[in-house]
Amino acid sequence: MRFEDLEFVNFKNIIEAIQNIDSPSRANVAKVLGLSKTTVSYVVSNLIEKEIVVETEAEDNGKRGRPGLGLKLNEKKWSAIGASFDSNRWSYVRTTLSGKVISKGLGELVENPTPETMIESLVNEIKKHINEIDEYTLPAIGLGLPGIVDTIQNKIIIANDLKWHNQVNIGEIIENELKLKVFSANRFTAAGLAEFRYANPNNEKNLIYIGLGHGIRSAIFIDGRLLQGETFSAGRVSHIVVDENGPLCDCGKRGCLLTVANSEALEAKANELRKEKKYLSSRLNSENIKVDADTICRLADEYDSCAMAALDSIVVPLSKGLGEICDIVNPKKLIIGGQLGSSSQYLVSKLRENMESKMSLELPGSHIQVEQAKLRELGSALGAASLVLENKAELLFEM
């Protein structure tokens, strides 16, 4: 079967219409799509038989006669799964056909991850929860991955933040191991997709999501479309130079944003600061405390002066790098997420304050709203699941 065949085209368009139009019914779908009522009724009957769509009581439109039955996607049968590798562990979600989260989970920590141990962890976790994958689970998995991701061949091209310099053919391995079709994106791109699709009540078309963690990456949406780039690296803000005399980056440049504003740079700064006399009373010096990014973010939100100072140290380079991107893209919103952005309201408020002070006198930047990501730790896995949902018509048609 070719996906350009008319039967499939009608199947896909009718599913999308049922999901997206107001008050979907057979008559309304036929009107919106310009199809005959006979064609729509035939396809809808097939969708109901496969339990993809269910009928609902239609709202009374005030016209004479009995109102037609409404239609909606079956939220109780079919599901999609997504997984994302961030902060050295996999997170997982299972969603309905419309992207509502049914269940979620967090995998075991992978110490000093290699491509092999990352993939092994994913396979083990999926097999552990294989009982959740039944005949009504779409036969695919969406993956949020580190580094530059070839979204066509589903492989990691390079992941500088993990010092992976060889290609990782994760899609081929997972399809062979789990017999699931793979859809993939960079993990922060996936998180940005989730914010754009599921946490964007005003349907903003121009926004930037910035993921801050072990890596730094953005997802850029212009006129409602995700910017991909020729070689899948659009939004790779981590190698914007913000300090020409800064640390040497693996890419060969000095002072890349990645080297001065990621979680490792934050932890190094916190360890340096807590030794100073004025910060000796900081809880970062408490016995048995682990000085990691999560702890620093939590203590900063609890007004620990040393933790706040450590986060302040990454605000300036972040503001510089993000300001340059905003000048080019001219977004309505800048959403701060990832491990650091999702964990610390203090960091987001300082970024907002710093960027607003720099942009308030500049007309192109004066309107930008700086917000914390709403989906937090769910975002990337949910965005990965949405990659499967993008292709639900193809997957369902073949079943």
Side-chain angles (χ1 to χ4, degrees):
M1 193 280 300
R2 299 191 310 275
F3 286 133
E4 65 268 22
D5 287 349
L6 183 59
E7 184 181 358
F8 169 72
V9 172
N10 288 338
F11 181 89
K12 180 177 182 178
N13 288 341
I14 289 171
I15 288 177
E16 291 178 351
I18 291 170
Q19 182 171 0
N20 296 321
I21 69 174
D22 294 330
S23 303
S25 64
R26 288 171 175 81
N28 287 344
V29 169
K31 182 178 180 181
V32 168
L33 296 179
L35 297 173
S36 71
K37 291 181 181 179
T38 302
T39 297
V40 172
S41 292
Y42 172 79
V43 175
V44 167
S45 295
N46 184 24
L47 292 172
I48 292 173
E49 184 180 345
K50 288 185 174 183
E51 299 183 271
I52 298 167
V53 165
V54 293
E55 293 178 316
T56 65
E57 288 297 326
E59 295 180 8
D60 188 349
N61 57 14
K63 296 182 180 179
R64 296 176 63 184
R66 181 182 176 185
L69 291 172
L71 302 167
K72 69 175 185 178
L73 294 182
N74 190 341
E75 296 288 86
K76 296 181 179 179
K77 278 288 183 181
W78 293 91
S79 64
I81 52 176
S84 178
F85 190 75
D86 194 14
S87 301
N88 293 352
R89 69 176 71 206
W90 288 98
S91 58
Y92 311 86
V93 297
R94 188 163 168 256
T95 77
T96 67
L97 288 181
S98 65
K100 294 178 182 176
V101 176
I102 301 169
S103 60
K104 60 183 179 178
L106 198 61
E108 297 291 329
L109 187 67
V110 183
E111 297 284 358
N112 302 313
T114 64
E116 292 76 19
T117 57
M118 177 193 69
I119 294 171
E120 180 184 9
S121 175
L122 174 63
V123 171
N124 290 340
E125 290 292 335
I126 295 297
K127 286 182 176 178
K128 189 189 302 181
H129 298 96
I130 202 75
N131 60 314
E132 293 185 14
I133 303 175
D134 56 24
E135 61 180 317
Y136 289 104
T137 303
L138 295 176
I141 184 170
L143 299 178
L145 301 171
I148 299 176
V149 179
D150 181 332
T151 59
I152 296 173
Q153 298 188 44
N154 298 304
K155 62 184 179 183
I156 300 171
I157 298 173
I158 189 171
N160 279 327
D161 60 305
L162 294 174
K163 302 189 184 327
W164 297 353
H165 301 300
N166 296 318
Q167 292 187 4
V168 183
N169 293 313
I170 185 169
E172 181 181 340
I173 296 170
I174 296 303
E175 288 184 0
N176 289 336
E177 285 277 348
L178 300 176
K179 309 306 177 189
L180 295 172
K181 186 173 179 61
V182 171
F183 300 98
S184 63
N186 170 271
R187 57 193 173 191
F188 290 141
T189 301
L193 278 170
E195 292 287 335
F196 182 79
R197 290 171 173 166
Y198 305 122
N200 186 14
N202 295 324
N203 197 27
E204 302 292 357
K205 300 294 186 184
N206 298 295
L207 62 82
I208 297 174
Y209 171 90
I210 177 75
L212 305 174
H214 199 282
I216 298 176
R217 175 86 179 225
S218 70
I220 300 171
F221 297 86
I222 300 175
D223 297 330
R225 297 174 66 88
L226 174 66
L227 193 63
Q228 295 273 23
E230 182 66 24
T231 57
F232 313 102
S233 59
R236 196 173 175 227
V237 298
S238 54
H239 296 285
I240 292 175
V241 174
V242 292
D243 180 2
E244 292 182 354
N245 298 312
L248 183 65
C249 180
D250 282 349
C251 75
K253 296 184 289 188
R254 285 194 173 275
C256 289
L257 193 59
L258 181 68
T259 66
V260 295
N262 72 348
S263 57
E264 287 184 341
L266 175 64
E267 291 164 3
K269 189 64 177 179
N271 277 310
E272 175 189 324
L273 289 172
R274 72 191 181 108
K275 297 173 186 176
E276 296 182 11
K277 185 177 180 180
K278 62 180 176 180
Y279 296 127
L280 291 179
S281 61
S282 166
R283 278 179 288 170
L284 288 175
N285 286 312
S286 300
E287 202 171 326
N288 298 324
I289 197 167
K290 184 178 181 181
V291 183
D292 59 15
D294 289 334
T295 301
I296 297 165
C297 289
R298 175 175 59 81
L299 292 181
D301 282 4
E302 296 172 3
Y303 305 106
D304 182 278
S305 59
C306 185
M308 292 164 70
L311 281 171
D312 288 343
S313 72
I314 69 171
V315 166
V316 173
L318 278 172
S319 297
K320 182 177 180 180
L322 298 183
E324 291 182 9
I325 293 296
C326 288
D327 282 342
I328 296 169
V329 176
N330 189 29
K332 177 70 175 291
K333 281 188 180 181
L334 177 62
I335 300 171
I336 312 298
Q339 178 192 15
L340 304 184
S342 296
S343 300
S344 176
Q345 292 183 358
Y346 176 81
L347 174 61
V348 176
S349 66
K350 293 297 287 187
L351 276 171
R352 183 186 300 117
E353 177 186 314
N354 199 285
M355 293 190 69
E356 285 178 353
S357 67
K358 292 180 182 301
M359 294 181 170
S360 61
L361 300 178
E362 301 176 19
L363 182 60
S366 61
H367 63 279
I368 296 175
Q369 301 167 18
V370 180
E371 298 181 358
Q372 188 173 38
K374 295 181 176 68
L375 297 171
R376 310 220 172 175
E377 72 278 358
L378 275 180
S380 191
L382 179 56
S386 80
L387 300 174
V388 176
L389 294 175
E390 276 182 20
N391 295 274
K392 60 179 175 286
E394 289 84 350
L395 296 165
L396 289 166
F397 190 79
E398 293 182 321
M399 298 185 74

